Amino acid sequence: MPIRSAHPTASGRRRLLRGAAAGALAAGLPGCALPVREPPVPRYLTGTARVLGVPNERFRPDQPNGFEAFDAEASAALRRQAARRGIARTSDLSGLNLLAISGGGENGAFGAGLLNGWTAHGNRPVFDLVTGVSTGALTAPFAFLGSAWDEKLKSVYTDITPERVAIRRWFTAALFDDALADTAPLFAMISEYLDDAMIAAIAEAYDEGRLLMVASTDIDAQVPVIWNIGAIAKSGHPRALDTVRRILLASAAIPGAFPPVLFDTEVDGVRHQEMHVDGGAFAQAFLYPAAATRARRDALANNRRVTPATAWIIRNGRIDPEWADTTRRTVSIAGRAVSTMIAASGYNDVVRMYFAAQRDGIDFNLAYIGRDFTAEYTVPFEQAYMRALYEYGFERARRGFDWTLIPPGAA
């Protein structure tokens, strides 16, 4: 099976990865005082910690019952949908549309263009479940709320500049800080778009029985965390809006390049802090945990009716390999190895979702950047590149996107 990657000429991204690799290599050297934090959640209590105290605010494999709570949340959402429509059984719902949006940095412009072009084509569905990781987490709220938010989604990916994402720190940051760049500008941009009106709209959609999930990685516990954005929005907690903004920032926090996001928690009356980084450290895209469809699998096995479902996967990257002339230097080789692992992980995530969909009787549809897109960029988040990629995704979807039904190499 071939190894796949995100972009054939991503020289700027390679420099970013090499810088992060250099920071990792330098971490073992003696230095000055490092950034401090509250104590982490103790090893055997990580699954019990909560941020806002909302019972269903997130799902993680180290909490009691693991991801079975995700299954319960999905079932409750289906019951809300059925009740609103006057349908007695959830299995009698006409159909479900599930959308997963992957990470990919500046390549998130592809997914934004595709979604808006889909609107222009005229057959974009209302999504019952939207999940996002990294740049996909930034797209997910707009995709979840529907076509009325298309102009704002376009602005996020076409009006952006590198300066609105991060501020490069001094070279000593590799030794004495928590990242090579400061993402205060990105948090400001997230806060500009994710306002009170958006959080209220997300809460309303949650009431309708639709779910919005974003993934980050608890780096201490080495586990993925799936945040239930709709439930947080619906909670009315005074810190709900700020917490959702910080979740999106955490999901996009490339380890080493961007600072981690700290979440205050309390366990048995003792204050702790969790450290979260890019959800892509675990998976670059996801639909649902494998354990969350046990009831559906049982129904299929016993020939009982299940709600028809369609999965739409937006891979903000390529499937074809990226060739590069790697310099015979430690940092260059380490950076190339990291980019190769990320590429392989992204491809494997797609294949994993495909086989899960096949197992669960869900139609599978995949979109990714094709070889016909040849624009290049020299620095991450270059505006000209992102605008060109947005238009590429938009035009392909406006004409009627040719979704891939089987990932290349999976058959």
Side-chain angles (χ1 to χ4, degrees):
M1 183 179 294
I3 300 299
R4 311 296 182 174
S5 70
H7 191 268
T9 53
S11 59
R13 176 57 52 82
R14 288 198 298 271
R15 284 198 296 272
L16 190 66
L17 291 168
R18 284 199 298 269
L25 290 169
L29 300 176
C32 300
L34 297 175
V36 297
R37 58 178 287 200
E38 297 286 346
V41 179
R43 180 191 303 267
Y44 300 110
L45 296 176
T46 56
T48 64
R50 290 198 177 105
V51 174
L52 297 180
V54 178
N56 57 342
E57 67 187 13
R58 57 186 185 171
F59 311 99
R60 44 190 297 159
D62 56 351
Q63 72 182 120
N65 300 320
F67 281 135
E68 292 178 10
F70 187 106
D71 198 15
E73 181 72 4
S75 297
L78 289 177
R79 290 194 294 272
R80 291 197 299 275
Q81 275 206 37
R84 287 177 63 88
R85 300 178 187 182
I87 297 173
R89 299 183 303 176
T90 59
S91 59
D92 290 333
L93 290 167
S94 58
L96 300 172
N97 285 283
L98 320 176
L99 174 67
I101 313 172
S102 84
E106 53 283 304
N107 285 337
F110 168 71
L114 188 158
L115 286 163
N116 288 3
W118 201 349
T119 297
H121 185 69
N123 64 343
R124 174 176 157 184
V126 173
F127 299 109
D128 303 283
L129 170 68
V130 177
T131 68
V133 177
S134 197
T135 192
L138 304 181
T139 304
F142 299 96
F144 180 68
L145 293 178
S147 301
W149 297 76
D150 281 2
E151 283 305 311
K152 290 187 176 181
L153 175 59
K154 177 182 179 181
S155 176
V156 169
Y157 284 96
T158 60
D159 293 338
I160 198 170
T161 61
E163 295 75 22
R164 293 194 72 190
V165 176
I167 302 170
R168 188 185 296 257
R169 289 170 171 168
W170 290 96
F171 69 92
T172 54
L175 291 172
F176 307 127
D177 220 321
D178 59 358
L180 300 176
D182 180 354
T183 50
L186 178 58
F187 185 72
M189 187 180 72
I190 291 171
S191 300
E192 175 185 339
Y193 289 98
L194 184 56
D195 55 12
D196 289 322
M198 177 175 263
I199 207 76
I202 292 172
E204 182 178 350
Y206 179 78
D207 275 342
E208 295 171 357
R210 299 194 293 120
L211 299 176
L212 172 60
M213 305 283 184
V214 166
S216 65
T217 300
D218 181 337
I219 200 68
D220 290 317
Q222 284 191 325
V223 298
V225 177
I226 299 177
W227 298 86
N228 193 355
I229 304 300
I232 294 172
K234 176 62 180 175
S235 72
H237 195 286
R239 290 192 287 116
L241 177 58
D242 180 68
T243 299
V244 173
R245 289 168 173 170
R246 289 164 54 76
I247 290 168
L248 300 191
L249 185 66
S251 185
I254 304 168
F258 293 166
V261 176
L262 300 176
F263 290 94
D264 294 332
T265 63
E266 189 174 291
V267 180
D268 296 331
V270 180
R271 177 186 170 95
H272 300 279
Q273 277 186 329
E274 294 178 353
M275 181 182 290
H276 286 244
V277 299
D278 196 325
F282 239 91
Q284 293 176 38
F286 73 100
L287 267 175
Y288 47 76
T293 55
R294 188 171 301 162
R296 185 181 181 92
R297 295 199 302 273
D298 290 345
L300 289 170
N302 290 283
N303 295 317
R304 297 196 305 271
R305 174 181 167 81
V306 296
T307 307
T310 303
W312 309 93
I313 314 300
I314 298 178
R315 160 83 173 148
N316 284 312
R318 298 181 183 265
I319 295 293
D320 53 307
E322 172 189 357
W323 185 93
D325 181 1
T326 306
T327 306
R328 191 178 176 183
R329 296 291 185 272
T330 300
V331 171
S332 177
I333 294 168
R336 179 63 175 168
V338 170
S339 65
T340 300
M341 287 188 288
I342 291 173
S345 173
Y347 176 74
N348 290 335
D349 289 336
V350 168
V351 173
R352 171 179 50 78
M353 287 185 286
Y354 168 73
F355 283 115
Q358 293 293 297
R359 178 198 66 191
D360 296 336
I362 297 173
D363 292 337
F364 179 90
N365 299 268
L366 170 67
Y368 56 88
I369 302 172
R371 294 185 180 183
D372 54 333
F373 182 74
T374 58
E376 303 177 6
Y377 63 85
T378 56
V379 296
F381 304 100
E382 186 175 77
Q383 188 179 77
Y385 171 83
M386 295 180 71
R387 287 180 173 179
L389 184 54
Y390 174 90
E391 290 300 326
Y392 168 79
F394 182 90
E395 285 303 319
R396 284 192 64 185
R398 184 186 62 82
R399 296 192 300 265
F401 199 89
D402 185 18
W403 295 87
T404 298
L405 305 184
I406 304 175

